Structure formats: structure tokens, C-alpha cells
Amino acid sequence: MARVLLVNTNRERTPVTVLPLGVCLVADAAEAAGHAVALCDLCHVRDPAAALRRAVQAHTPTVVGLSIRNLDNGDAAAPRAYLPEVRALVDGLRAYTAATVVAGGAAVSLAPAPVCAAVGADYAVAGEGELTFPALLAALDAGADP
């Protein structure tokens, strides 16, 4: 069974903070499938890279799943893209863990291959992650082609 660290990468807090329900559902499904699961919520931390590194050190995951809620902030007056921030997290991860990196979430479901490539993930989970992610973990555990 895999050791999984699921990460809420959404740091947007305006107009309100959005609870990471999707990643929690995926965590529950992965745990029900027998995997050891930990969560890391980056929304309210000052240094997301440091928080992620601490979570990896504490849980020693074999798979890190990144929940990506939005591609950008949708604000034409002050646009901000979120994928470069996620890419920086993945680049940091690669420096201190050999864990498989999986991108998922609403933003990934919009364009799985381009988002996966943009953030440097090994795999992308599109659609209902609570169904697809445990299947991906099973394939990876079995050494099968996902």
C-alpha cells in the first residue's frame, strides 16, 4: 500500500476561504482503499514550500497528490495565474523526495495533459478523484501501467 500525502495547493482567501472538500473526499477514498494518508493544507501558511517539506519529512510519502482548484484568479483587472506556484512546489519536491507526483482537482479536470505538463507532475487525475485516484494507486502498487 502507498504512503500518500495529499496537498491543498489553493491559497486564495478572497472573497472567502474555500474549504478543501474535494481533497478530503479523495483522502477518505484512498484511506478506505488501505493506503496511509496524510493531508497538508497550504491555504493559510506563510511559507508553503517549507510547510510542504515538513509534511513530506513527517509522512515520507511514496505518492504526493496535489489538489489544484483554479488555473487563475479570474480577475481581469489584476490577473494572477496559479500554475507557476504549483510548479515551484513540484520543483521543490523533486529536490528532496522521489515520491510520484499526481496532479488533480477542478483545474486539472479542465485540461489534464496541459496542466500536468505545466506543473511537472508524473500523472494527472481528471474527473472524480475519489474514484480515479485509488485506482491509480492500485496500479502503481502493482507495478502496472496506469
Side-chain angles (χ1 to χ4, degrees), residues 6-145:
L6 291 172
V7 183
N8 174 34
T9 66
N10 180 32
R11 297 185 37 75
E12 191 62 59
R13 292 177 289 211
T14 59
V16 295
T17 300
V18 177
L19 296 175
L21 296 177
V23 75
C24 290
L25 290 170
V26 172
D28 187 56
E31 197 168 69
H35 303 284
V37 179
L39 290 170
C40 177
D41 187 351
L42 300 178
C43 190
H44 294 279
V45 299
R46 286 195 176 110
D47 185 345
L52 181 56
R53 185 178 189 124
R54 284 190 302 273
V56 168
Q57 290 170 336
H59 191 63
T60 60
T62 56
V63 176
V64 176
L66 303 171
S67 176
I68 308 169
R69 185 174 188 273
N70 295 331
L71 297 172
D72 59 50
N73 64 350
D75 185 345
R80 192 168 130 227
Y82 297 134
L83 296 185
E85 294 174 19
V86 177
R87 179 59 189 240
L89 291 173
V90 173
D91 290 346
L93 278 170
R94 301 284 190 208
Y96 55 82
T97 182
T100 299
V101 178
V102 179
V108 176
S109 293
L110 291 172
V115 173
C116 184
V119 301
D122 299 306
Y123 297 98
V125 169
E128 304 300 322
E130 58 270 32
L131 302 175
T132 308
F133 190 65
L136 173 60
L137 294 175
L140 292 173
D141 278 350
D145 183 1

